Amino acid sequence: MGAAVRILVVREVTGAERVLPMEDEVVTIGRGAECTIRIDSPYVSRNHARIEVNEDGPLFVDLGSHNGSLYNGVRVEEPVRLTPGDMVTIGRTVIRYGELRSADDATRTLMFETPTPAAPDLLRVNSETHEVWIGEEPFRQRLSSQEFQLLSLLYEQQPRVCTRRELGDAIWGAHSWDMNMLHRLVHRLKEKMEPDSENPRYIVTVSGVGYRITP
């Protein structure tokens, strides 16, 4: 029996998964176009992390990223050795490490893996393609660039509450906005997104703090 084939299973924010055989000694991860695994998110650094492969196996290294990385749910402080089944979370993207007996196994894993159907009202946002889904259907309402940016920011950080300052600075820039601007933007987004504006399903106001999203 030959050596095991190392793979990475990348689960995107949309729920889609892809299988990447680890053919190089270094796999780079980040927002930069040159990265092996590119994650288009404002909460992911351009050169966020890398996986180095040596005779002892793959080693995950966070490159001092601003928002950090999680290894099996724990923030990465030092390089960690990956074993099959380990998961790394960067932004809203989850990367699972695995080992297969052959390249054919990797192909079969990709061909026969069937995604679980989304719940009818499940919200999914892809910041890279600027697409929004409700369940299995694309969201038909047109969102402005600022409305989409707000929705994407909230989606990336769920279930955490995003403060008003955090959102305003990210959308308009520090000292270039006021509370009324943010309030009007949230109101417009809710009008388009919410089936019942009196009982929000997706965008929740946390009084005195900010906003959060429920998928």
Side-chain angles (χ1 to χ4, degrees), residues 51-143:
I51 300 174
E52 306 169 356
V53 180
N54 55 38
E55 63 273 13
D56 295 323
L59 187 72
F60 178 82
V61 183
D62 185 278
L63 300 175
S65 62
H66 181 70
N67 288 298
S69 310
L70 300 180
Y71 166 74
N72 293 335
V74 179
R75 188 179 178 96
V76 174
E77 302 293 347
E78 300 289 341
V80 291
R81 188 72 60 187
L82 298 179
T83 59
D86 284 344
M87 291 188 295
V88 173
T89 304
I90 296 175
R92 292 282 297 166
T93 298
V94 178
I95 302 169
R96 186 172 73 251
Y97 172 67
E99 293 180 0
L100 301 174
R101 290 171 297 177
S102 68
D104 287 342
D105 283 348
T107 301
R108 284 193 292 271
T109 298
L110 182 58
M111 289 176 60
F112 293 106
E113 191 170 64
T114 303
T116 303
D121 62 346
L122 177 69
L123 173 66
R124 293 180 292 160
V125 180
N126 189 324
S127 59
E128 184 171 350
T129 62
H130 280 234
E131 293 177 297
V132 180
W133 293 268
I134 302 293
E136 297 295 335
E137 296 295 323
F139 184 64
R140 302 297 182 185
Q141 282 266 33
R142 183 182 178 277
L143 299 179

Side-chain angles (χ1 to χ4, degrees), residues 4-214:
V5 176
R6 297 185 174 106
I7 64 167
L8 297 172
V9 181
V10 182
R11 185 176 182 83
E12 310 284 358
V13 296
T14 62
E17 290 189 352
R18 53 194 171 108
V19 178
L20 302 177
M22 294 182 65
E23 300 172 339
D24 301 320
E25 293 184 355
V26 177
V27 175
T28 55
I29 307 167
R31 199 176 70 250
E34 71 283 358
C35 291
T36 312
I37 300 175
R38 184 171 181 270
I39 303 173
D40 184 16
S41 166
Y43 295 97
V44 175
S45 300
R46 176 169 292 278
N47 295 295
H48 196 103
R50 67 173 180 261
I51 300 174
E52 306 169 356
V53 180
N54 55 38
E55 63 273 13
D56 295 323
L59 187 72
F60 178 82
V61 183
D62 185 278
L63 300 175
S65 62
H66 181 70
N67 288 298
S69 310
L70 300 180
Y71 166 74
N72 293 335
V74 179
R75 188 179 178 96
V76 174
E77 302 293 347
E78 300 289 341
V80 291
R81 188 72 60 187
L82 298 179
T83 59
D86 284 344
M87 291 188 295
V88 173
T89 304
I90 296 175
R92 292 282 297 166
T93 298
V94 178
I95 302 169
R96 186 172 73 251
Y97 172 67
E99 293 180 0
L100 301 174
R101 290 171 297 177
S102 68
D104 287 342
D105 283 348
T107 301
R108 284 193 292 271
T109 298
L110 182 58
M111 289 176 60
F112 293 106
E113 191 170 64
T114 303
T116 303
D121 62 346
L122 177 69
L123 173 66
R124 293 180 292 160
V125 180
N126 189 324
S127 59
E128 184 171 350
T129 62
H130 280 234
E131 293 177 297
V132 180
W133 293 268
I134 302 293
E136 297 295 335
E137 296 295 323
F139 184 64
R140 302 297 182 185
Q141 282 266 33
R142 183 182 178 277
L143 299 179
S144 70
S145 59
Q146 287 185 348
E147 289 165 355
F148 182 85
Q149 187 178 6
L150 172 61
L151 180 64
S152 182
L153 288 167
L154 292 170
Y155 186 83
E156 291 278 353
Q157 290 300 298
Q158 63 177 292
R160 186 176 70 82
V161 177
C162 294
T163 66
R164 290 171 293 188
R165 180 183 296 276
E166 176 185 358
L167 294 170
D169 287 353
I171 295 169
W172 291 285
H175 312 301
S176 300
W177 62 282
D178 58 40
M179 292 298 177
N180 284 333
M181 292 168 62
L182 180 60
H183 175 77
R184 289 195 297 270
L185 179 60
V186 172
H187 180 72
R188 291 197 302 270
L189 182 60
K190 281 186 175 184
E191 281 192 325
K192 293 182 178 181
M193 294 290 303
E194 299 293 354
D196 180 1
S197 58
E198 296 298 321
N199 299 285
R201 162 64 180 84
Y202 300 110
I203 303 160
V204 178
T205 301
V206 181
S207 181
V209 182
Y211 306 90
R212 64 177 175 83
I213 207 164
T214 57

